[in-house]
Amino acid sequence: MAAEVIDGKAFAADLRARIATHVAKLKDEHGITPGLAVVLVGEDPASQVYVRSKGKQTLEAGMASFEHKLPAETTEAELLAKVRELNADPEVHGILVQLPLPGHLDSDLVINAIDPKKDVDGFHISNVGLLATGQKSLVPCTPLGCLMMLKAHHGSLSGMEAVVIGRSNIVGKPMAQLLLGESCTVTIAHSRTKDLAEVVSRADIVIAAVGRPEMVPGDWIKPGATVIDVGINRVAKADGEGHRLVGDVDYASAAEVAGAITPVPGGVGPMTIACLLSNTLTACCRARGLPEPAL
Ligand code: NAD
């Protein structure tokens, strides 16, 4: 039986609409406009596209968007000064420094200079520690989006066997922490995992966050499992005319076995920016001592 397709695009549109409703209410009842500042250093074309899209969706949700474009030769001291300026700005509730930074800048140093309460990417070590210890934090957007879709699909995840392929700080590790928080039995697989096929075949939930086109075939998937494909890979089209986007999972074969699956594009991707807006709204409510919306 073909898998149910988890429509991340529709899910994200719905989440953005709920965020916009809360933002309008904040404005009406308290005169507050949540604000997101995005800092882009250099001219990386993919980063420029992401930043433009983030700015557009921030405005569409009724929030204030502050874009700070700095030249590639910006020094660490200059970038840290910009971060401090945004930390102190009461109109800015969320700060995002677009990664990757040019090679001469230390990303860890810069990220850890952001006020953790404004760290809407959830990458500051304080937020990482809070998440790991099950305390209230700001959670990285991509894993947060994956969790929202999983919970909407399954309700409770308690006791489920989850395998996360990939151990990055941005996706794999926080995803595993979130699933642990939902009482899943969690395995983190990575490039040195010995028998990946066997590990994946045990999973009720598979999260693929590797960055290798279509590396997870359908015959690794347990029948009925839920497959969340985080990968975004550009591959040449068979006819040699341009490129297409594929995930880390071989969608065609996996969709024949899985119970539910996210497509690429249109799965996890759209949820990431929606969760960035959600984190900004959360950060704003916390900063102003208002109840957090249950999105
Ligand atoms: P990364 O390169 O930081 O980490 C990749 C991980 O995969 C590593 O931990 C590595 O151990 C593991 N890995 C590599 N080869 C492997 C193999 N053969 N078998 C098992 N594990 C292997 O990547 P990342 O930042 O976590 O991103 C992963 C993918 O997700 C990329 O395709 C990226 O573009 C995509 N991504 C998508 C979104 C989104 O919004 N949808 C957000 C972030 C990342």
Side-chain angles (χ1 to χ4, degrees):
M1 205 178 90
E4 181 183 330
V5 179
I6 300 177
D7 185 346
K9 207 171 156 187
F11 202 98
D14 191 47
L15 177 59
R16 288 198 307 271
R18 278 179 277 141
I19 291 169
T21 304
H22 278 279
V23 170
K25 217 168 127 203
L26 269 185
K27 276 188 199 170
D28 281 355
E29 294 177 9
H30 303 279
I32 299 169
T33 303
L36 172 65
V38 178
V39 181
L40 174 63
V41 185
E43 320 243 300
D44 177 64
S47 294
Q48 285 177 328
V49 172
Y50 289 139
V51 167
R52 216 174 302 134
S53 184
K54 285 167 186 170
K56 183 169 169 274
Q57 293 190 32
T58 304
L59 293 173
E60 281 169 3
M63 300 188 186
S65 168
F66 309 100
E67 278 182 27
H68 296 269
K69 293 188 176 151
L70 306 178
E73 54 281 6
T74 299
T75 65
E76 209 157 76
E78 287 166 339
L79 182 53
L80 290 171
K82 174 58 72 183
V83 169
R84 278 195 296 272
E85 176 194 313
L86 297 171
N87 283 344
D89 187 338
E91 287 183 25
V92 172
H93 304 98
I95 302 170
L96 180 150
V97 176
Q98 183 66 43
L99 300 178
L101 288 171
H104 66 285
L105 299 169
D106 179 345
S107 328
D108 287 341
L109 188 78
V110 173
I111 297 303
N112 289 323
I114 296 173
D115 178 346
K117 294 189 168 61
K118 297 189 178 188
D119 167 40
V120 282
D121 252 344
F123 297 159
H124 189 289
I125 46 167
S126 294
N127 281 316
V128 175
L130 289 167
L131 175 62
T133 50
Q135 299 179 69
K136 198 158 85 171
S137 63
L138 287 166
V139 176
C141 303
T142 300
L144 180 60
C146 295
L147 186 72
M148 282 183 183
M149 290 192 287
L150 280 170
K151 285 175 77 169
H153 186 74
H154 285 284
S156 169
L157 307 181
S158 180
M160 293 178 88
E161 194 87 40
V163 171
V164 180
I165 318 173
R167 57 176 160 182
S168 72
N169 291 335
I170 293 174
V171 188
K173 284 184 201 155
M175 187 73 244
Q177 296 287 4
L178 286 172
L179 292 166
L180 205 52
E182 297 297 324
S183 302
C184 291
T185 301
V186 183
T187 303
I188 306 179
H190 47 77
S191 53
R192 304 291 174 89
T193 296
K194 283 211 175 108
D195 189 349
L196 188 59
E198 190 278 324
V199 172
V200 171
S201 70
R202 289 189 245 135
D204 304 310
I205 296 171
V206 180
I207 312 276
V210 184
R212 287 175 168 251
E214 300 173 324
M215 72 162 275
V216 179
D219 58 11
W220 290 8
I221 307 289
K222 177 173 161 180
T226 299
V227 178
I228 305 288
D229 192 350
V230 181
I232 302 177
N233 308 290
R234 263 163 66 93
V235 295
K237 283 189 181 162
D239 60 7
E241 298 276 315
H243 291 84
R244 64 191 177 99
L245 290 183
V246 299
D248 291 342
V249 176
D250 177 33
Y251 185 85
S253 61
E256 283 176 22
V257 191
I261 188 166
T262 58
V264 176
V268 175
M271 282 301 285
T272 297
I273 299 185
C275 286
L276 175 67
L277 304 179
S278 159
N279 277 351
T280 304
L281 177 58
T282 299
C284 174
C285 292
R286 287 181 189 169
R288 302 302 295 259
L290 296 167
E292 289 171 36
L295 297 164

